[in-house]
Amino acid sequence: MALLNITRLEAINRVLNAVGETPVNTIDTSESVEVAIINDMIDYTSRNLQSVGYDFNTIDVLILTPDVRDNRIVYPDNLIYVESPDIVVAKRGIYLYNVTDRTYEFTAPVTLEAIEALDFEDLPHHFKIYVEAKVSKEYQERYLGDNVLAEELSQKVSEAHLEVMRYDVNRGNYNIIDQNPTISGILRR
């Protein structure tokens, strides 16, 4: 039997199973209020957890070029966070805003470091399990309130978070010397 990537339907069914509910055959939210709630919770929780920035969703160098007609840069919808080494920038409406110069206009491409929000289907396996565990726990707390189940689900969240951290550390190119400003400053002297 081939192991397949965890689908959104499978994630919804795992959440339902974790709280003692019956699995469903479709994600059609018009058929079930529970499915609609869990589906929304998966999106919200996934985006919230991804905002920390992991190896799989951090873009070290992203170059955005201004539109030639108005010198504005449309802020990509899939970005949760951006930072520029040269200027302070922020999202304002649908555009990237230059906070340093207080303008929407850019005369040259802007280099950014960014955190990208990935769709659930594109997340690594361990992160999907982490999202499922968090959603199960939060759904249970909001709608069921069972203390014994809450403890079990809290343990699953902790285990899933540990696996995500392990995955990220193993895949990430982390270096305490390069990424610590104090240590790297001393070494440059």
Side-chain angles (χ1 to χ4, degrees):
M1 179 175 136
L3 296 176
L4 302 176
N5 200 5
I6 297 171
T7 65
R8 183 175 287 267
L9 176 61
E10 186 177 359
I12 289 169
N13 281 329
R14 286 182 187 206
V15 172
L16 288 168
N17 185 46
V19 297
E21 298 287 333
T22 306
V24 295
N25 294 323
T26 180
I27 300 178
D28 184 4
T29 57
S30 65
E31 291 185 19
S32 169
V33 173
E34 290 85 5
V35 170
I37 291 169
I38 293 168
N39 198 36
D40 289 344
M41 289 177 75
I42 286 173
D43 288 336
Y44 175 80
T45 302
S46 176
R47 186 173 185 90
N48 190 36
L49 294 175
Q50 288 183 63
S51 69
V52 171
Y54 294 91
D55 180 61
F56 65 84
N57 74 329
T58 298
I59 304 169
D60 294 324
V61 178
L62 175 66
I63 299 172
L64 297 179
T65 305
D67 187 298
V68 293
R69 293 169 292 184
D70 61 7
N71 290 332
R72 291 182 172 207
I73 297 174
V74 175
Y75 191 97
D77 289 339
N78 63 328
L79 299 183
I80 300 172
Y81 171 82
V82 295
E83 184 175 317
S84 171
D86 307 316
I87 56 174
V88 178
V89 293
K91 180 182 182 194
R92 297 266 174 95
I94 64 168
Y95 295 104
L96 187 67
Y97 182 73
N98 179 338
V99 177
T100 304
D101 297 333
R102 299 187 184 284
T103 182
Y104 287 98
E105 294 183 13
F106 295 86
T107 56
V110 178
T111 301
L112 303 171
E113 181 177 310
I115 296 174
E116 178 181 23
L118 301 177
D119 289 334
F120 182 81
E121 291 76 12
D122 297 329
L123 295 172
H125 177 78
H126 293 297
F127 202 83
K128 287 180 180 182
I129 292 172
Y130 184 34
V131 170
E132 289 172 11
K134 287 282 284 186
V135 170
S136 297
K137 181 180 178 289
E138 290 171 11
Y139 184 86
Q140 189 285 140
E141 287 172 348
R142 283 188 201 171
Y143 300 104
L144 304 177
D146 181 332
N147 292 335
V148 174
L149 185 55
E151 188 61 36
E152 289 176 25
L153 293 174
S154 289
Q155 181 63 33
K156 288 187 179 194
V157 169
S158 296
E159 291 168 4
H161 183 251
L162 179 63
E163 288 302 317
V164 165
M165 297 310 294
R166 229 182 242 141
Y167 172 84
D168 193 53
V169 167
N170 288 337
R171 295 215 2 122
N173 188 19
Y174 303 116
N175 182 322
I176 193 167
I177 294 172
D178 292 341
Q179 295 180 336
N180 184 314
T182 305
I183 294 173
S184 60
I186 291 168
L187 291 175
R188 279 185 292 219
R189 289 182 190 171

